[in-house]
């Protein structure tokens, strides 16, 4: 597999970032790819493992050693075919996935895992450059129709699989373009949106019909879709944000991250900001505090820096993770350790074990300060540790609690689990209502893009089985 002694002879080399002083001046991607020769060398480092844990570390079960070997042998087109057999959109995951596969790599025992994510991205990017990625319409039609609500990664993956199985597929999206959080949540400096556009064009050529500005349960009655389609897939994501209900929450200048990030993404793509959205939220010339230590918080930091914030501080309620994990305890599972993103490197103060107790502001109702307290390892306030932070803009990036229940889910009457997600198991993805299925964040809760793609593909398998009595779609 690869070069037998490659992992001994070749050092790990990964993609680099453009200098922070340059990249914060624009919203374009700033990752510098490896050369073709360097990519082949990195693929050669893949060991002939007895048990390739990277398979199970990857939610879509990519056949990683196989396409590493193909890249090493210069068989790029076959590597692309193999990669697409498990992942509909590797250019998305090759940019925004945290790469649990690399955490599971045997070489990660010595902190030098194969650069799996980089190789994956190189394969698919070359596929587009060479013109190898083309529409794959079904040769025969089933006569069955499927409606998919939500055009995020789960809905898109499900739609493409079902269209290729010969079904008539209609995707209903509440916003004016497809992509979900890929388009409206993830900043362009992490993933440019033309990558989504060309996949949508491919899917349209395969027969998928997209209906935009169509909010099922609000502007479109669900009964209309139930009567039109033989099966309905709920892939609307987990859109209800976690709030911080403390004194002063109603002050001006305190916003959810998902009110802030989509506005900037729309500015970059020159897409009109919806009239019913909150007024423009801009960080330029302001002291910004981001509450929440995850990826969304990091995206708020990078966006605020590019908008010209005077300072950015990120608060996390959990303790500071260790710099390095204990491999004997964690490998091959995803470890809890301190992770520093490219946005952190661009300029942000990070505070751990901090809880905000209240906001205070000026007489005109504008937020001015956060009142905070430090916590011990049991998340209890430490006496006498109170402090204040100046803030002109506060961004709440504490995750999402569930899908929105108003409208669609209430009308359908589908059962929900104790976390408020649509109740459906991974055996068949069927909801409690006849011919209704659910996948992605709407079913599993807030998660990764790669998990959404996995669920969309597996849900398509179940829908095809339901409609036809059998299926050749992979799970």
């Amino acid at each position: 597999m690869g070069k037998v002694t490659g992992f001994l002879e070749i050092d790990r080399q990964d993609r680099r970032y453009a200098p922070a002083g340059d990249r914060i001046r624009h919203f374009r991607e700033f990752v510098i790819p490896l050369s073709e020769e360097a990519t082949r060398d990195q693929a050669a480092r893949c060991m002939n493992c007895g048990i390739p844990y990277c398979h199970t570390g990857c939610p879509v079960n990519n056949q990683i050693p196989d396409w590493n070997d193909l890249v090493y042998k210069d068989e790029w087109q076959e590597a692309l075919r193999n990669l697409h057999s498990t992942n509909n959109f590797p250019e998305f995951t090759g940019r925004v996935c945290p790469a649990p596969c690399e955490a599971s790599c045997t070489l990660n025992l010595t902190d030098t895992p194969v650069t799996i994510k980089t190789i994956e991205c190189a394969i698919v990017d070359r596929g587009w450059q060479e013109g190898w990625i083309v529409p794959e319409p079904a040769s025969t039609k089933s006569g069955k129709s499927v409606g998919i609500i939500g055009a995020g990664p789960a809905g898109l993956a499900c739609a493409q699989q079902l269209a290729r199985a010969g079904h008539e597929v209609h995707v209903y999206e509440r916003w004016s373009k497809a992509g979900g959080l890929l388009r409206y949540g993830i900043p362009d400096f992490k993933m440019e949106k033309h990558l989504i556009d060309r996949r949508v064009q491919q899917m349209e050529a395969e027969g998928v019909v997209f209906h935009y500005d169509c909010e099922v349960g609000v502007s479109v009655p669900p009964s209309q879709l139930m009567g039109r389609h033989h099966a309905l897939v709920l892939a609307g994501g987990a859109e209800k944000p976690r709030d911080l209900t403390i004194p002063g929450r109603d002050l001006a200048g305190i916003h959810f991250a998902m009110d802030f990030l989509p506005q900037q993404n729309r500015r970059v793509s020159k897409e009109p900001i919806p009239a019913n959205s909150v007024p423009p939220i801009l960080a330029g010339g302001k002291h910004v505090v981001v509450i929440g230590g995850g990826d969304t918080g990091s995206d708020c930091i990078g966006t605020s820096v590019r908008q010209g914030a005077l300072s950015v501080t990120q608060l996390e309620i959990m303790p500071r993770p260790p710099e390095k994990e204990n491999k004997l305890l964690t490998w091959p599972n995803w470890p809890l350790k301190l992770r520093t993103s490219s946005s952190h490197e661009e300029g942000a103060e990070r505070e751990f074990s901090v809880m905000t107790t209240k906001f205070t502001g000026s007489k005109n109702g504008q937020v001015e300060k956060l009142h905070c307290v430090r916590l011990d390892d049991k998340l209890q306030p430490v006496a006498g540790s109170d402090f204040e932070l100046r803030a002109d803009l506060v961004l709440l990036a504490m995750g999402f609690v569930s899908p929105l229940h108003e409208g669609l889910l209430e009308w359908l009457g589908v059962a929900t689990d104790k976390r408020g997600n649509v109740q459906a198991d991974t055996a068949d993805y069927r909801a409690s209502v006849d011919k209704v299925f659910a996948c992605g964040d709407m079913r599993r809760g807030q998660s990764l893009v790669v998990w959404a793609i996995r669920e969309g593909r597996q849900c398509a398998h179940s829908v095809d089985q339901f409609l036809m009595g059998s299926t050749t779609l992979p799970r």
Side-chain angles (χ1 to χ4, degrees), residues 214-350:
C214 179
E215 190 168 2
V216 181
V218 178
S219 59
V220 176
S223 56
Q224 183 177 321
L225 302 192
M226 292 289 281
R228 180 184 301 172
H229 301 295
H230 297 96
L232 198 63
V233 177
L234 307 180
E239 295 185 274
K240 185 177 180 180
R242 180 174 285 106
D243 205 348
L244 188 60
T245 54
I246 59 175
R249 171 62 180 89
D250 57 347
L251 289 168
I254 304 172
H255 302 276
F256 289 118
M258 287 308 298
D259 286 331
F260 173 65
L261 294 172
Q263 284 191 0
Q264 184 57 44
N265 286 8
R266 287 187 169 97
R267 291 186 193 101
V268 172
S269 64
K270 297 181 174 55
E271 180 185 335
I273 296 175
N276 61 350
S277 67
V278 298
I281 308 169
L282 295 165
K286 296 177 181 177
H287 296 281
V288 180
V289 175
V290 179
I291 301 179
D295 289 338
T296 302
S298 176
D299 293 343
C300 288
I301 292 170
T303 301
S304 296
V305 169
R306 283 163 177 76
Q307 288 185 355
L310 293 178
S311 69
V312 184
T313 303
Q314 184 179 34
L315 303 182
E316 169 58 60
I317 196 170
M318 300 300 292
R320 182 185 180 92
E323 298 278 345
K324 180 176 170 58
E325 73 272 31
N326 183 335
K327 302 287 187 183
L328 295 179
L329 289 177
T330 62
W331 184 87
N333 297 318
W334 182 251
L336 174 66
K337 66 177 183 179
L338 184 66
R339 302 178 191 278
T340 300
S341 72
S342 60
S343 293
H344 292 134
E345 296 170 350
E346 292 164 2
E349 294 292 327
R350 303 170 75 181

Side-chain angles (χ1 to χ4, degrees), residues 127-147:
W128 284 107
Q129 292 164 8
E130 299 286 351
W132 296 334
I133 301 175
V134 296
E136 300 176 29
S139 56
T140 58
K141 299 297 183 181
S142 68
K144 303 291 186 179
S145 176
V146 182

